[in-house]
Amino acid sequence: GENVEQHPSTLSVQEGDSAVIKCTYSDSASNYFPWYKQELGKRPQLIIDIRSNVGEKKDQRIAVTLNKTAKHFSLHITETQPEDSAVYFCAAVKAAGNKLTFGGGTRVLVKP
Amino acid sequence: EAQVTQNPRYLITVTGKKLTVTCSQNMNHEYMSWYRQDPGLGLRQIYYSMNVEVTDKGDVPEGYKVSRKEKRNFPLILESPSPNQTSLYFCASSPTPTLGVVNEKLFFGSGTQLSVL
């Protein structure tokens, strides 16, 4: 089955700096890669996603890149703000699959 | 309001005492799923359902049961809970029966923190 590894497990950045989280996946048939943000005590919520036919996608301060050949994808947060502090999960899904396989999560702390 | 409702939010029980965590969605979603969240392990899928009366195992199904008799409800049943099932559980739903195609955003419930003593 699919295996998704996520690094780093914790990330501390100064407000205004950038944060980068990296994930690798094992199954070359995976074609959809969402990112979820979970604030303390809350439910995970989708923040951005990317499909395998696209190399990069941006949404304001958030961007995701995908390298299909190397089977890795990354989340980039620019100009970080305290409200970006949360746990971020990457995930992978096979085409028309039924399973969303998550990475282990990255706890991001943005220091004012 | 469109939502996924889980109950209870917190549950403390003892080993071997059967329990049910309920999950209900009001969005007429086809797909529903249960996950458990443990530190460092992310969210791991327990069971999922693509439609009424259609359920299948996820990655960690041992010790759990589910049923999908109605489209809106997807209860998680622990017949004989054990301490290693102490975890934070999330129910989620999606509009389409399969993921990885289109419009497959997962909507999560608020979570159930379960402690088995």
Side-chain angles (χ1 to χ4, degrees):
Chain A
E2 175 67 277
N3 182 48
V4 178
E5 295 197 357
Q6 184 172 345
H7 299 281
S9 57
T10 59
L11 181 59
S12 183
V13 297
Q14 209 64 39
E15 183 177 356
D17 288 350
S18 296
V20 180
I21 303 169
K22 298 182 179 181
C23 290
T24 59
Y25 61 100
S26 61
D27 193 336
S28 55
S30 291
N31 74 334
Y32 173 66
F33 308 92
W35 286 86
Y36 284 80
K37 175 184 180 182
Q38 185 181 28
E39 295 176 356
L40 190 63
K42 301 271 182 74
R43 71 194 79 191
Q45 292 196 302
L46 180 72
I47 55 171
I48 196 167
D49 55 15
I50 191 167
R51 296 185 189 280
S52 58
N53 59 348
V54 174
E56 183 176 358
K57 184 177 178 181
K58 273 187 180 180
D59 183 2
Q60 299 182 332
R61 296 186 296 106
I62 293 173
V64 58
T65 58
L66 171 65
N67 183 326
K68 276 189 65 178
T69 304
K71 289 192 280 189
H72 66 70
F73 56 113
S74 301
L75 179 72
H76 305 252
I77 308 173
T78 58
E79 300 171 20
T80 53
Q81 300 168 6
E83 54 263 38
D84 295 328
S85 294
V87 178
Y88 293 80
F89 294 99
C90 62
V93 182
K94 273 201 283 195
N98 301 304
K99 288 188 182 182
L100 194 62
T101 302
F102 286 88
T106 297
R107 184 173 300 276
V108 174
L109 175 63
V110 179
K111 295 181 285 187
Chain B
E1 182 190 352
Q3 58 185 356
V4 179
T5 303
Q6 277 180 246
N7 280 297
R9 285 294 307 273
Y10 302 93
L11 180 58
I12 301 174
T13 190
V14 295
T15 299
K17 187 176 181 182
K18 181 179 178 180
L19 66 91
T20 299
V21 183
T22 63
C23 175
S24 179
Q25 49 91 7
N26 62 0
M27 297 172 278
N28 200 36
H29 283 176
E30 305 278 346
Y31 182 93
M32 297 186 75
S33 185
W34 277 102
Y35 298 87
R36 60 177 288 172
Q37 182 176 3
D38 302 288
L41 298 177
L43 293 126
R44 294 179 292 166
Q45 190 173 44
I46 303 170
Y47 270 94
Y48 64 91
S49 169
M50 292 187 290
N51 213 327
V52 175
E53 302 291 4
V54 180
T55 63
D56 207 348
K57 296 177 182 178
D59 295 318
V60 289
E62 296 78 20
Y64 304 95
K65 282 175 58 178
V66 294
S67 69
R68 188 94 182 271
K69 295 186 171 64
E70 307 161 286
K71 198 171 189 179
R72 61 183 293 130
N73 295 324
F74 191 45
L76 179 69
I77 302 155
L78 285 72
E79 295 269 2
S80 183
S82 63
N84 64 10
Q85 292 178 298
T86 292
S87 186
L88 177 59
Y89 291 86
F90 285 100
C91 178
S93 71
S94 179
T96 53
T98 57
L99 307 178
V101 183
V102 293
N103 200 24
E104 62 277 86
K105 175 181 174 179
L106 273 180
F107 293 80
F108 283 87
S110 298
T112 296
Q113 180 63 58
L114 172 65
S115 295
V116 183
L117 307 177

